[in-house]
Amino acid sequence: MFEKIAFYLEYPFVRYALIVGILIALCSSLLGVTLVLKRFSFIGDGLSHVAFGAIAIASVLKLTNNMFLVLPVTIISAILLLRTGQNAKIKGDAAIAMISVGALAFGYLLMNIFSTSSNLSGDVCSTLFGSTSILTLTEKEVWLSAVLSFVVIVIFVLFYNKIFAVTFDENFAKAIGTATNAYNLLIAVIIAVIIVLAMNLVGSLLISALVIFPALSAMRLFNSFRSVTICSALLSVTCAFLGIMISILAGTPVGSTIVAVDVAGFAFCCLGGFVRTRLG
Amino acid sequence: MALLTVTDLSAGYDSHAVVKDLNFTVNTGDYLCVVGENGSGKTTLMKTLLHLQDPVSGKILIGDGLNQNEIGYLPQQSDVQKDFPASVSEIVLSGCQARCGLRPFYNKKEKKLAKENMERMGITSLANKSYRELSGGQQQRVLLARALCATRKLLLLDEPVAGLDPVVTGEMYDLIASLNRDGVSIIMISHDVSAAVRYGSHILHIGDSAFYGTKDAYLNSSEGKAFLLQQKGQVG
Ligand SMILES: Nc1ncnc2c1ncn2[C@@H]1O[C@H](COP(=O)(O)OP(=O)(O)OP(=O)(O)O)[C@@H](O)[C@H]1O
Ligand SMILES: [Mg+2]
């Protein structure tokens, strides 16, 4: 088996997939805890559908690099969604559902009407499930993903304490003079970037899994914010690596394999947490 | 000029006023106790003072060079979620957040301050415990330690002794009094009127008839007499 792995690693596209996959997994796990605890679990879902709509528009417009349309559109939607989440007129959940389903329908409609591709359902399927796009990355896309991931990680580390304060008790943070609105905005922008990145890896339907599972698993095992964050980052990277390897060896779709490994990881952590409370 | 000058303030929700036409001032060194029945709008007033919600009408003037990041706050009910993974020391340290400004990490001085405040509240042994596994009284002490970390000029407390045992309650009042002697101004909401008149320098009574004045004036006012009598009746 190792020979087979070594054989595959000769190919640049496999190496690219591994590098990008691991970086994206790392990024997406970082904000997982914040999203879960701010009850924004579904924002990932909603935004990925918006990104899907944007990709449809980009492909209709025949843009060569759709990132330049998809990223700004997703960032703006993230900001709008976090805004409506705060003001109570339309509940956050409902707003997300509205936008996400709307974007999904609109995107598919556009693709259907304007698409010149002979394999429409294949295109749609790969945008939704990210089936092979991670294996077809060009060198330029790899660099773009790597740079964006790096920026996300640096920002997260620099603002770690602020993100904790705003997530743990927003009212208190605001009362003592923390610029909570600015940090919420920052969180929204980072989420949007992560979503767009992760679309390459698992496709738009499975992104939530990538964001949420590592955080939920780590929360079963650890009690402090720092250890949960570190653990979920490690878990996510491990699962992404295993998932990509398995999918290459077994010929399964990359995105769903990674998510399946994440689910298995969650089951292990539940078991671990259960044993620990029983023994401790 | 006073630290806080409140003129004709009405506070409430969605332009519906819960408390109306309040006028009072808080000077540096004051210890203002806010008393009133359940639902009279004490918490609402405090949130308005902290700019967590907009006033329905009226003005809050800030003076004496008071900055928002010099204020400590103990909420009555925190919006903290039950399953949040956070250790006691992480939470207490987050009270130093406003001192950091844009600096990303806490410095030695802030870590020391957090440690001292944990000692003050007797929660040093809990430092690495998870907040979600603490008793209600222990949680209250953690949030108090956090509030102390944030306090430099003004401390707002919403029922600080709720859930504390009698010994810690006594210590708590002494601690607040000593902070006040060190020059920190206090605004405290309390249902314990006897403590309010013992420790406070000024009293703000909100309810059907509002009262604001010094403690002595309150003891001689009709509101004060009635409220004290009512509380005695409940105890005795
Ligand atoms: N989020 C809210 N939206 C609308 N009305 C509210 C809200 N919170 C409180 N109220 C109402 O405002 C009034 C005052 O509430 P507040 O919490 O300020 O009372 P309180 O004086 O602090 O009472 P307690 O002694 O029980 O703490 C109550 O009648 C309450 O029903
Ligand atoms: Mg209250």
Side-chain angles (χ1 to χ4, degrees), chain B:
Chain B
M1 184 157 181
L3 219 48
L4 283 179
T5 311
V6 173
T7 37
D8 298 331
L9 179 75
S10 298
Y13 300 90
D14 298 325
S15 72
H16 167 75
V18 179
V19 280
K20 284 195 195 88
D21 304 325
L22 291 177
N23 287 287
F24 61 93
T25 52
V26 180
N27 289 298
T28 303
D30 277 3
Y31 188 149
L32 173 68
C33 288
V34 182
V35 297
E37 286 151 19
N38 286 138
S40 54
K42 304 182 294 296
T43 301
T44 309
L45 169 67
M46 189 168 273
K47 284 187 176 165
T48 310
L49 291 180
L50 285 164
H51 301 291
L52 293 177
Q53 57 187 70
D54 296 326
V56 173
S57 64
K59 272 203 199 98
I60 305 166
L61 272 178
I62 292 175
D64 279 357
L66 178 68
N67 234 323
Q68 183 106 30
N69 66 7
E70 295 168 322
I71 300 176
Y73 171 48
L74 175 82
Q76 178 175 26
Q77 263 161 353
S78 202
D79 301 327
V80 174
Q81 290 156 42
K82 294 223 162 48
D83 46 359
F84 199 106
S87 68
V88 169
S89 56
E90 283 177 319
I91 293 169
V92 175
L93 200 54
S94 77
C96 296
Q97 184 56 63
R99 289 170 191 255
C100 289
L102 278 176
R103 174 161 39 85
F105 304 109
Y106 298 110
N107 62 22
K108 283 225 177 72
K109 219 170 105 195
E110 284 150 3
K111 285 180 185 154
K112 194 167 148 245
L113 182 70
K115 226 181 205 157
E116 283 168 6
N117 283 326
M118 284 200 282
E119 253 157 49
R120 269 183 175 174
M121 298 312 306
I123 49 172
T124 310
S125 60
L126 303 175
N128 292 319
K129 275 239 174 174
S130 169
Y131 181 76
R132 54 187 170 181
E133 287 164 3
L134 301 181
S135 76
Q138 288 171 327
Q139 291 186 343
Q140 181 80 349
R141 289 198 235 173
V142 173
L143 297 187
L144 269 167
R146 177 182 73 167
L148 294 181
C149 282
T151 306
R152 280 183 282 187
K153 284 194 181 159
L154 176 63
L155 177 59
L156 287 89
L157 300 157
D158 199 340
E159 303 193 19
V161 297
L164 299 182
D165 60 49
V167 177
V168 182
T169 299
E171 287 172 8
M172 191 60 224
Y173 281 132
D174 290 342
L175 176 69
I176 298 170
S178 82
L179 279 173
N180 184 233
R181 278 194 298 275
D182 292 344
V184 174
S185 315
I186 312 279
I187 302 178
M188 176 174 82
I189 294 175
S190 178
H191 284 295
D192 186 353
V193 180
S194 55
V197 295
R198 187 153 82 236
Y199 293 99
S201 64
H202 293 73
I203 306 283
L204 173 67
H205 180 127
I206 55 183
D208 296 333
S209 59
F211 173 90
Y212 166 72
T214 61
K215 167 175 74 179
D216 295 330
Y218 182 66
L219 287 174
N220 292 321
S221 71
S222 54
E223 288 92 358
K225 279 181 181 150
F227 205 57
L228 272 173
L229 213 66
Q230 186 190 338
Q231 290 236 329
K232 281 218 184 86
Q234 279 163 3
V235 174

